[in-house]
């Protein structure tokens, strides 16, 4: 659903009702996602110009935008017969030159010596002195003083066929309509407006479209005015409500309460070669309590790379099995899903639990058999990729779904996974796990539909990874270090990330690197995995690496998430300057999983941008994933950090989670009030602000 449809459902007027708007203009406006008058009111200026006072020509410094008024004292045509014009304009203080390259005939006819002009433009230093290129201009009749603008001039995001002048005219009409409209809705109740000292919507909109003269441009740019805050507040509220609403609807469905204390959990823990950490125990207990409830769990487990999330998931899944149900876990890549499969087989098969694997590469008869066993409930634990979502996949008694490495999946996909519950009379519990910890404020907004648990400690005995940043020209030294580590029985990852747009190139780069390493390190076995290998080939190489038959694994970033080979102690990353912080952190997390000291070598190519320099410095200095993601957020913004920029899930129109984080507690409070006392306002509020209504009702 588009905003248009939504805003029109608020009883708003079609854009065709504004004076002068016909089909053609409407078409242009549609490109800006403006279909009705209310949409136009929510089409906000991206910046402003100050045309509220005349400036003396002499006082203008190059680079400024200014309004001047003066008399044309000279006109010349730099190129004869062309429409190019150079004008000298004088006021009491000095002279400025105006350059025009293409003027309509009637405009040219207007520009004569002796004529008084008011101009607005950016001033610069030209060959003749101060000049303006193609200023907006207005003829001032002799003896008349035209009124100067009473408010700052809004500059709107525009599109072809719609000039700023025209957009201003349209918004003037729209504001007129709004002020007289009885139906244009204020969606925030008076109590909230008072409690949080927020201006009314009409006032806020009037202000952002036409800020009065004297309003600080700086404050406007930073969204600091009370009127802008009101809009930011409403937008954040809409987002939060949409997520909470999803949760509310979801949790009003029937779930299965897993109350039975079977013997599997105890057997599993006894056989496990390590003790659970305090953090693992605490989080497992939080999950256990959720699973007891008769409605579906929605829980996020955040834990840094290597904090041991897999065991936590395994315990929850065993609980389902102990109660006679199935549990499924989805991973973002085949490599990771396969790894989970092998780990779970090792853990569970001795307990008599049937484990199955399903991905896109499981085909033919194997797939048929796997699907049948799942549908009939013969397999109890299913590991796989997003193939688990596909329409022909049926479960017989699915009670729990686990989504590993959540940052790769969006809200939409989570909703899809829930749909699998539709096959039964109840909805499965949902456990979401991420190794991209995000700062609290962001988590509150982005994961408002999830309860959150944090694995805040790593298992004991881990030695922090030492990170070294080096120019790629020193690769030889790195190879020597690799040889040394392997001689001591350690293993090494050598990552060649995506370096071009094409998918084939990184595979080529990885292949070349593998050959180079094999040539330079003849005593070592070098293996290679990349996205183009068949699943079986990848799996074979990975198995050899895990068993220690391969010492150096050259790979593309396919190994980024979740790979677990504790004996690997060196991670070399080529072109590290091209990777984001969280990706680097993920890759680095592949080492430092055993007791020996590990190293991560970040190789870079010149030239280094400032941002890249900063990222590499952060990697060298910080090892805590939470702190890294905080820095990532500051450097790149929330959309990038959450990996949702493309899908637009977290694109706000006026809010900015970093800048506006101080508002979040108030927004949270207001959301609770709205959900409890104003259910009729929820849907219009969400539809006003969220382009597709996000997941409202889509559970
Ligand atoms: P992640 O949180 O990154 O998914 P994993 O679940 O893959 O981490 O665990 C990383 C490694 O730590 C695995 O080899 C796992 O067996 C091991 N591990 C997990 N919990 C503990 C623990 N409590 N003590 C020791 N090792 C543990
Ligand atoms: Mg993991």
């Amino acid at each position: 659903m588009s905003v248009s449809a939504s805003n029109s459902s608020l009883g708003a007027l079609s854009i065709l009702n504004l004076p002068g708007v016909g089909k053609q203009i409407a078409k242009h406006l549609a490109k800006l996602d403006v279909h009705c008058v209310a949409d136009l009111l929510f089409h906000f200026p991206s910046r402003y110009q100050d045309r509220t006072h005349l400036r003396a020509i002499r006082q203008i410094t190059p680079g400024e935008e200014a309004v001047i008024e003066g008399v044309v004292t000279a006109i010349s045509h730099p190129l004869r017969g062309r429409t190019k014009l150079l004008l000298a304009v004088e006021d009491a203080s000095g002279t400025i030159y105006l350059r025009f390259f293409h003027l309509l005939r009637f405009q040219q006819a207007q520009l004569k010596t002796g004529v008084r002009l008011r101009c607005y433009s950016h001033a610069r230093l030209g060959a003749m002195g101060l000049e303006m290129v193609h200023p907006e201009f207005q003829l001032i009749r002799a003896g008349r003083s035209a009124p100067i603008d009473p408010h700052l001039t809004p500059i709107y995001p525009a599109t072809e066929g719609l000039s700023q002048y025209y957009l201003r005219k349209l918004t003037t009409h729209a504001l007129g309509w709004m002020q007289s409209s009885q139906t244009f809705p204020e969606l925030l109740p008076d109590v909230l407006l008072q409690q949080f000292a927020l201006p009314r919507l009409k006032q806020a909109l009037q202000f952002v479209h036409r800020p009065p003269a004297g309003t600080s441009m700086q404050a406007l740019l930073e969204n600091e005015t009370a009127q802008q805050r009101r809009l930011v507040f409403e937008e954040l509220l809409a987002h939060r409500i949409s997520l909470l609403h999803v949760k509310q609807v979801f949790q009003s469905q029937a779930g299965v309460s897993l109350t039975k204390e079977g013997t599997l959990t105890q057997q599993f823990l006894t056989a496990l070669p390590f003790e659970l950490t305090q953090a693992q125990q605490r989080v497992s207990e939080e999950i256990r309590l959720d699973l007891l409830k008769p409605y579906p769990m929605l829980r996020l487990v955040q834990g840094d790379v290597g904090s041991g999330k897999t065991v936590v998931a395994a315990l929850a899944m065993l609980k389902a099995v102990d109660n006679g149900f199935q549990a499924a876990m989805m991973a973002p890549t085949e490599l990771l899903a396969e790894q989970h499969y092998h780990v779970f087989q090792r853990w569970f098969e001795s307990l008599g639990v049937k484990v199955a694997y399903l991905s896109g590469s499981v085909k033919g008869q194997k797939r048929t058999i796997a699907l049948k066993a799942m549908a009939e409930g013969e397999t109890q634990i299913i590991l796989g990729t997003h193939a688990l979502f596909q329409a022909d996949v049926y479960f017989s008694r699915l009670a729990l779904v686990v989504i590993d490495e959540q940052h790769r999946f969006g809200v939409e996909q989570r909703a899809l996974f829930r749909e699998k519950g539709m096959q039964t009379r109840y909805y499965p519990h949902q456990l979401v796990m991420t190794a991209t910890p995000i700062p609290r404020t962001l988590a509150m907004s982005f994961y408002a539909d999830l309860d959150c648990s944090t694995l805040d400690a790593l298992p004991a005995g881990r030695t922090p990874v030492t990170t070294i940043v080096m120019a790629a020209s020193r690769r030889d030294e790195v190879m020597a270090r690799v040889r040394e580590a392997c001689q001591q029985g350690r293993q090494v990852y050598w990552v060649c990330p995506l370096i071009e747009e094409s998918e084939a190139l990184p595979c080529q780069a990885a292949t070349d690197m593998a050959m180079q390493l094999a040539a330079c390190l003849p005593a070592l076995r070098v293996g290679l995995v990349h996205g183009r290998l068949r699943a079986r080939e990848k799996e074979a190489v990975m198995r050899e690496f895990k068993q220690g038959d391969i010492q150096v694994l050259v790979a593309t970033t396919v190994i980024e998430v979740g790979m677990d080979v504790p004996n690997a102690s060196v991670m070399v990353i080529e072109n590290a300057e091209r990777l984001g912080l969280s990706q680097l952190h993920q890759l680095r997390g592949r080492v430092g999983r055993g007791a020996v000291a590990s190293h991560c070598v970040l190789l870079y190519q010149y030239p280094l941008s400032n941002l890249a320099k900063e990222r590499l410095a952060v990697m060298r200095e910080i090892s805590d994933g939470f702190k890294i993601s905080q820095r990532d957020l500051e450097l790149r913004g929330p959309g990038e950090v959450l990996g949702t920029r493309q899908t637009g899930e977290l694109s706000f129109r006026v809010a900015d989670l970093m800048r506006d984080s101080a508002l979040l507690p108030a927004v949270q409070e207001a959301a609770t009030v709205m959900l409890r006392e104003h259910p009729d306002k929820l849907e219009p509020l969400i539809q006003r602000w969220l382009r597709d209504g996000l997941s409202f009702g889509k559970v």
Side-chain angles (χ1 to χ4, degrees), residues 189-362:
D190 286 348
V191 269
L192 288 183
L193 294 180
Q194 273 156 26
Q195 183 181 351
F196 298 112
L198 301 168
R200 304 192 73 78
L201 182 66
K202 281 185 180 180
Q203 196 212 326
L205 290 175
Q206 181 70 42
F207 179 92
V208 297
H209 286 285
R210 300 292 180 270
T215 310
S216 149
M217 293 274 258
Q218 190 63 21
L220 278 169
L221 271 181
E222 320 233 306
N223 268 14
E224 274 170 358
T225 64
Q227 291 81 357
Q228 288 168 305
R229 308 303 292 157
R230 143 80 206 222
L231 296 172
V232 167
F233 188 94
E234 192 177 305
E235 181 170 36
L236 290 171
L237 184 66
H239 272 258
R240 186 165 177 83
I241 284 175
S242 94
L243 287 172
L244 288 179
H245 184 79
V246 168
K247 179 180 184 181
Q248 217 177 35
V249 172
F250 185 59
Q251 296 203 321
S252 67
Q253 318 270 358
V256 277
S257 69
L258 304 176
T259 49
K260 207 167 126 206
E261 287 287 341
T263 55
L264 286 174
T265 309
Q266 208 40 59
Q267 280 176 271
F268 171 71
L269 287 175
T270 313
L272 208 59
F274 49 76
E275 296 270 311
L276 293 188
T277 62
Q278 290 270 327
Q280 283 168 324
Q281 288 178 27
R282 176 173 37 78
V283 172
S284 294
E285 179 62 12
E286 285 165 1
I287 294 169
R288 192 184 69 84
L289 294 177
D290 278 354
L291 296 179
L292 289 175
K293 309 217 171 101
Y295 54 86
M297 161 174 83
L298 280 175
R299 186 167 287 278
L300 172 73
V301 173
Q302 295 198 77
D304 205 347
V305 181
S307 58
K309 292 181 289 293
T310 320
V311 183
V312 171
L315 279 167
M317 292 169 90
L318 274 185
K319 189 84 189 168
V321 178
D322 248 340
N323 280 264
F325 288 92
Q326 292 170 304
M329 173 144 118
M330 181 175 77
T333 65
E334 290 220 9
L335 269 180
L336 187 52
E338 278 159 25
Q339 174 182 281
H340 284 325
Y341 175 59
H342 295 306
V343 169
F344 279 52
Q345 259 188 329
R346 198 175 68 225
W347 283 343
F348 289 168
E349 297 226 312
S350 59
L351 307 178
V353 175
K354 292 246 162 39
V355 183
Y357 175 69
L358 189 72
S359 79
S361 64
V362 178

Side-chain angles (χ1 to χ4, degrees), residues 441-476:
T441 46
L442 199 51
M444 259 172 38
S445 305
F446 192 64
Y447 295 130
D449 62 330
L450 300 170
D451 296 310
C452 191
S453 296
T454 306
L455 285 171
D456 49 10
L458 298 180
R462 299 271 167 87
T463 352
V465 180
T466 311
T467 300
I468 302 151
V469 179
M470 272 178 150
S473 53
R474 293 170 61 192
R475 199 178 281 117
D476 286 351

